[in-house]
Amino acid sequence: MTAMTHEPAVLADDPFDTANILDPYPFLARLRDAGPVSYLESTGSYAVAGYQEVYEVLTDFETYISSGGLGPRDIRKDSGWRPPSILESDPPIHTVMRRALTGVINPGTVRALRGPFTPPAVELTEELARRDRFDAVTDLAEKYPLRVFPDAVGIPDEGREHLLPYGNMVFNAFGPENYIFQQAFAHGDEHAAAVMRNCERENLSDTGFGARIWDRVQEGLITGQQATLLVRALLSAGVDTTVFGIGNTLSVLARYPEAWARLRANPKMARFAVDEALRVESPFQKFHRTVAVDTELGGVKIPAGAKVLVFIGAANRDPRRWGDSADEFDLDRSASGHVAFGMGLHQCVGQPIARLEMEIVLQQLLERVATIEPDGEPVPILHNVLRGFESLPVRITAA
Amino acid sequence: MTETATETVATAAATIDVVIDRVETAADQVVSLVLRRLDGEPFQPWQPGAHIDVHLGEGLVRQYSLCSPLEELDHLRIGVLRVPDSRGGSRAVHELEAGSPLTISEPRNNFPMLDSRRYLFVAGGIGITPLIPMIEAAEKAGKDWQLVYGGRSRGTMAFADRLLERYGPDRIQIIAEDEAGRMDLDAILGLPRAHMLVYACGPSGLLGAIEERCMGWPPGALHTERFVASALGAGAASEPFEVELARTGTTVTVPTDKSILDAVEEVGVRVLSSCRGGLCGTCETQIISGEPEHRDAVLSEEDREAGEVMLVCVSRAAAGCPRLVLDL
């Protein structure tokens, strides 16, 4: 602990109000200007906006715990709306679940998906390349992950329509119980029940990730209940985030025609473009951690029991980490170290799958589309913690 | 390390003539050799995790980790377990006598110790050797650290008494299988700690079990060194090798003290990477030809045998394979 601490700047801004959600970056810049750690009156939580401080919160999982939930309420005191997920657990409960999941989803198992993941991307982009204009979100970003990911997990066709609404519930619950939350939960019971059914072993195909997770029950590593929760975690975290990842990447590239041309000349750079796009337009913008013991961060004392609100979107554009051009997309920048997938213990397990989906869909589009540009204003989605678009009209020329 | 890279390439085969100052029995079947330079000069400073090549005659070269104090550069110490079925390296070492000359390489490091707030060291048998200088460094820097050291019996566990005496039972846990059974890895690794790195060295069965359990730890927490026994001969780290970048059309020489990833990035070729420690799999690269020596903790046995991909942040060319052609 350093000797010098100061009172945090107190901000009246509400990160969850409509204006700050629809255009988060001016607010995030104000937040960073107020200091790496400040206090938000509206939510009663500490805002962490500096890259270094966000990194510290993510990697010090003993001080900044997850079992209090990722939302504003401490679910240890006040149980949440569903049994806690792997994301809402700490070691040692977290440890076996993470082991089980990492054993199933890793570069080796994901590599095999390139084959089955490619034809749907070819089919979708071939069809879109025949048009002059399309909506990059509703015609592509929302379609592609649903074509490939549920098969990779091995869930039945029946009930897949509940995946996006369920993901919407899960992530919106990381914010306050506001109007957006209420909307997301309007048919909540129905979506949750349908998704939970698909997590049971008897409803999963023998070849998907779901069945491999249930194998770990046979091996005695995890319980059947934990297997259910892990399949649920895949289904709730694996769709929306990738939809937004694809949409956000295209929203950026539509504004950078030179980058598109360079990518067409060298499609192997697609993965760098995706990585840099995830940095500037991070799908998962913010979530909470709970402080386990009195601590100090960025010169601010934070008491045990407090909630910290971690601003991934601010860290990924922090000029102290990324330089003065932090707000700009730069194909030549090494985005390595961005925290769009989190960092450390709870770092996204599905990362290789998400990266594969984003790379494939972008490469297939690059092959068939010579130019892409915005065709009117994109419509940002009203979501408590995810950043993305409900509509992204683009105008293209075919290759 | 980086600034001397070019020089290292040119002098990679450079050797040092030493004399065996002492041969000590460190444990049952383990000898410890103390080496001094023939010219009486001190050795170059080296870092925890470093090893030397020992030239044993008739082309036989073996790598052994250094376990002497980091600041005592007037000598180097290695510990060598006699392996009954080995191809002769350890037997040859066990036949060496004090006063004999020997040829070694400069110390090199494939198992560097990264800075962290806490360390957990796990040794299996003779795997203790590279961890001894790490422990010394961690203690000196005032880090929070623990060692769990397992072996078949106390008599076979080199340096165990010395470590226990120096650092005490709060830091050092000695687990002899004939007294207490095998190390309980679930207990040792069942509770990940924040900002703690795990450094493990030992037989590959043990390391596999540790890797499995560390899947529940933050990515990048575990660092291992395997006892390498490539089909082609001695471990590959002793020689620089060439990497042909098929797509870029250039060829890069990878010196012994650098990863393929570093060498490739230095000529301006970009490779997506994340942990740079063989743990996350981000830098996985297709092999077009050549035989790799896998040093990562990601690829399965089948992947390793197939030899189609490698993690360029840690893996290298196998000994006897002077050139890898990669899809970069």
Side-chain angles (χ1 to χ4, degrees):
Chain A
M1 296 246 167
T2 51
M4 297 290 284
T5 59
H6 59 82
E7 289 298 314
V10 178
L11 277 82
D13 298 68
D14 179 358
F16 298 100
D17 85 16
T18 306
N20 287 335
I21 284 175
L22 296 180
D23 184 14
Y25 301 114
F27 164 66
L28 295 180
R30 282 202 299 284
L31 199 56
R32 276 193 311 262
D33 288 346
V37 178
S38 48
Y39 186 78
L40 295 172
E41 265 179 338
S42 61
T43 57
S45 56
Y46 290 81
V48 187
Y51 175 86
Q52 198 189 318
E53 290 74 18
V54 165
Y55 191 95
E56 177 65 18
V57 171
L58 296 179
T59 51
D60 186 356
F61 53 86
E62 292 178 24
T63 305
Y64 306 95
I65 61 172
S66 293
S67 56
L70 273 68
R73 285 182 357 202
D74 188 341
I75 61 171
R76 292 173 304 173
K77 297 177 191 157
D78 171 11
S79 65
W81 63 278
R82 60 176 197 167
S85 71
I86 180 170
L87 215 53
E88 295 151 341
S89 67
D90 295 316
I93 293 171
H94 175 270
T95 311
V96 282
M97 291 172 75
R98 177 86 188 188
R99 251 177 84 184
L101 212 47
T102 312
V104 171
I105 299 176
N106 57 57
T109 57
V110 172
R111 193 184 317 120
L113 296 176
R114 186 174 283 274
F117 276 21
T118 301
V122 172
E123 202 181 297
L124 278 167
T125 54
E126 269 179 351
E127 195 272 313
L128 293 175
R130 285 196 285 269
R131 309 192 204 168
D132 298 332
R133 50 193 59 191
F134 61 86
D135 191 309
V137 166
T138 56
D139 294 331
L140 184 59
E142 283 180 0
K143 288 205 167 139
Y144 178 67
L146 282 171
R147 289 280 297 273
V148 295
F149 186 72
D151 284 337
V153 179
I155 63 168
D157 289 337
E158 195 188 332
R160 291 186 179 192
E161 68 279 12
H162 294 285
L163 290 174
L164 280 176
Y166 184 69
N168 197 39
M169 290 161 59
V170 170
F171 282 96
N172 270 310
F174 298 153
E177 293 182 20
N178 53 8
Y179 163 79
I180 305 169
F181 177 104
Q182 303 300 345
Q183 287 279 307
F185 276 73
H187 303 282
D189 293 346
E190 192 190 324
H191 301 313
V195 168
M196 290 312 287
R197 266 197 303 281
N198 284 345
C199 298
E200 295 303 327
R201 178 63 188 92
E202 63 268 24
N203 295 327
L204 290 161
S205 79
D206 290 340
T207 52
F209 288 131
R212 294 292 78 74
I213 289 170
W214 277 93
D215 289 347
R216 312 306 299 262
V217 179
Q218 300 297 315
E219 294 162 20
L221 182 64
I222 51 170
T223 64
Q225 194 202 357
Q226 286 174 320
T228 310
L229 291 177
L230 287 175
V231 180
R232 188 190 73 175
L234 286 188
L235 295 177
S236 44
V239 188
D240 289 46
T241 46
T242 316
V243 167
F244 287 142
I246 294 170
N248 292 6
T249 300
L250 294 175
S251 81
V252 172
L253 289 174
R255 289 185 282 117
Y256 288 83
E258 334 75 58
W260 188 264
R262 285 180 61 198
L263 286 165
R264 278 186 42 82
N266 186 2
K268 288 277 179 185
M269 283 173 78
R271 55 205 317 209
F272 299 103
V274 167
D275 214 33
E276 170 68 354
L278 292 175
R279 183 191 68 79
V280 285
E281 286 284 17
S282 308
F284 200 1
Q285 285 274 315
K286 54 190 183 286
F287 52 83
H288 298 79
R289 290 275 192 257
T290 310
V291 176
V293 289
D294 290 353
T295 189
E296 189 198 312
L297 184 70
V300 169
K301 285 187 174 166
I302 308 178
K307 281 277 180 173
V308 296
L309 184 47
V310 182
F311 286 89
I312 297 294
N316 280 344
R317 289 177 173 229
D318 183 351
R320 288 180 304 167
R321 170 65 177 80
W322 307 101
D324 291 340
S325 65
D327 285 326
E328 292 296 312
F329 173 88
D330 178 357
L331 197 49
D332 295 318
R333 185 199 309 271
S334 172
S336 180
H338 72 66
V339 286
F341 289 105
M343 191 56 77
L345 192 69
H346 295 274
Q347 191 171 357
C348 175
V349 172
Q351 184 175 167
I353 310 178
R355 284 185 184 279
L356 183 69
E357 288 181 49
M358 292 186 274
E359 185 189 342
I360 289 175
V361 85
L362 179 55
Q363 282 183 339
Q364 294 304 327
L365 205 57
L366 285 165
E367 200 168 296
R368 297 179 179 85
V369 172
T371 63
I372 182 166
E373 57 183 326
D375 183 28
E377 282 299 306
V379 182
I381 196 162
L382 197 55
H383 193 296
N384 273 338
V385 300
L386 295 183
R387 162 78 174 162
F389 300 92
E390 52 185 38
S391 169
L392 179 66
V394 292
R395 194 162 49 230
I396 60 155
T397 54
Chain B
M1 204 158 87
T2 42
E3 50 275 86
T4 60
T6 358
E7 199 184 307
T8 315
V9 179
T11 61
T15 53
I16 309 173
D17 292 320
V18 298
V19 62
I20 301 170
D21 189 61
R22 291 198 301 280
V23 177
E24 295 167 358
T25 302
D28 183 24
Q29 304 294 320
V30 179
V31 291
S32 170
L33 303 187
V34 176
L35 312 173
R36 293 183 195 279
R37 284 180 72 118
L38 208 52
D39 59 14
E41 294 293 310
F43 291 96
Q44 291 295 311
W46 51 278
Q47 298 298 317
H51 70 273
I52 51 170
D53 294 345
V54 177
H55 294 257
L56 295 160
E58 293 168 27
L60 194 60
V61 180
R62 286 291 179 270
Q63 286 76 42
Y64 297 106
S65 299
L66 296 175
C67 57
S68 38
L70 291 161
E71 282 171 6
E72 294 177 18
L73 294 171
D74 62 328
H75 73 281
L76 297 178
R77 181 187 285 274
I78 56 174
V80 180
L81 170 70
R82 184 178 180 123
V83 187
D85 60 355
S86 82
R87 287 181 306 276
S90 66
R91 192 172 61 233
V93 172
H94 277 247
E95 283 162 6
L96 294 170
E97 288 173 5
S100 313
L102 193 66
T103 302
I104 65 169
S105 69
E106 288 281 1
R108 285 196 285 266
N109 203 345
N110 294 322
F111 191 32
M113 181 180 179
L114 304 180
D115 188 43
S116 190
R117 297 177 206 171
R118 298 173 175 143
Y119 296 92
L120 173 62
F121 301 105
V122 185
I126 196 63
I128 188 64
T129 50
L131 303 182
I132 290 172
M134 292 191 186
I135 287 168
E136 185 193 335
E139 176 75 8
K140 193 177 169 202
K143 306 285 187 180
D144 180 1
W145 65 271
Q146 296 278 318
L147 166 71
V148 186
Y149 178 10
R152 288 196 313 282
S153 66
R154 279 181 191 259
T156 66
M157 295 170 71
F159 312 113
D161 294 341
R162 199 190 299 181
L163 287 164
L164 204 52
E165 191 180 313
R166 178 160 174 196
Y167 299 112
D170 289 346
R171 293 283 198 196
I172 309 265
Q173 206 185 335
I174 304 285
I175 300 172
E177 198 177 328
D178 63 348
E179 297 167 17
R182 291 195 170 193
M183 287 189 275
D184 180 354
L185 295 177
D186 287 328
I188 295 165
L189 297 165
L191 186 70
R193 302 293 312 274
H195 297 296
M196 179 183 268
L197 296 182
V198 181
Y199 279 81
C201 186
S204 84
L206 172 69
L207 294 186
I210 290 173
E211 280 165 2
E212 227 287 312
R213 282 159 185 84
C214 283
M215 284 181 177
W217 284 60
L222 174 66
H223 298 259
T224 61
E225 183 161 70
R226 285 172 185 277
F227 302 151
V228 174
S230 163
L232 289 167
S238 50
E239 299 293 335
F241 55 94
E242 287 188 338
V243 172
E244 184 183 327
L245 311 179
R247 239 180 305 126
T248 322
T250 33
T251 297
V252 181
T253 301
V254 182
T256 52
D257 62 351
K258 240 181 236 183
S259 68
I260 297 178
L261 180 60
D262 288 336
V264 166
E265 283 180 340
E266 271 173 31
V267 298
V269 176
R270 295 179 68 189
V271 182
L272 198 68
S273 66
S274 180
C275 77
R276 303 181 83 96
L279 296 139
C280 72
T282 308
C283 69
E284 185 180 290
T285 301
Q286 298 270 341
I287 302 166
I288 293 167
S289 72
E291 187 182 334
E293 180 192 294
H294 296 289
R295 292 165 177 257
D296 62 275
V298 169
L299 298 181
S300 64
E301 278 309 312
E302 297 84 68
D303 289 337
R304 285 166 202 263
E305 275 163 31
E308 288 169 4
V309 295
M310 68 188 294
L311 303 193
V312 292
C313 63
V314 291
S315 298
R316 310 184 67 84
C321 170
R323 190 179 181 88
L324 286 172
V325 183
L326 301 180
D327 183 26
L328 285 174

